[in-house]
Amino acid sequence: MNQNPITTTVTAVGLAGGAAFLAPVAAPAIHGIAGFAVVGLGVYATGSAVFNATRFLNEKATGILNDGAMVVELIKGSVLSNSRPKAPAKEVPFRRK
């Protein structure tokens, strides 16, 4: 390797100068990128949890009602209401005058 020592020195000084020039910007930039990563991970985790909870409730509603019902129908009271067998209606005498 036959390189010119002046060119090597200029390259080294240029790299050191560029690093010194960008050093005040590098730390906040790294913190900003890390902040985006943490916020993105939180949004992803929240979205996954909501999706999994909705899918679980929808599967339970479908299994209980056996007609492909949605979670809204489950919450409306088809399962939560206290369903007892209803007594047959009594006949009401109809009188004409």
Side-chain angles (χ1 to χ4, degrees), residues 20-91:
F21 181 70
L22 292 177
V25 178
I30 290 172
H31 287 111
I33 292 169
F36 284 136
V38 169
V39 169
L41 183 62
V43 168
Y44 175 76
T46 303
S48 295
V50 169
F51 176 76
N52 288 334
T54 305
R55 186 179 63 187
F56 174 76
L57 289 175
N58 197 12
E59 287 174 1
K60 287 296 178 185
T62 303
I64 290 172
L65 302 176
N66 290 326
D67 61 353
M70 298 299 289
V71 176
V72 176
E73 294 176 8
L74 175 67
I75 294 174
K76 280 183 181 176
S78 61
V79 173
L80 300 177
S81 64
N82 187 8
S83 58
R84 296 179 293 172
K86 295 183 179 180
K90 296 181 181 178
E91 284 189 35

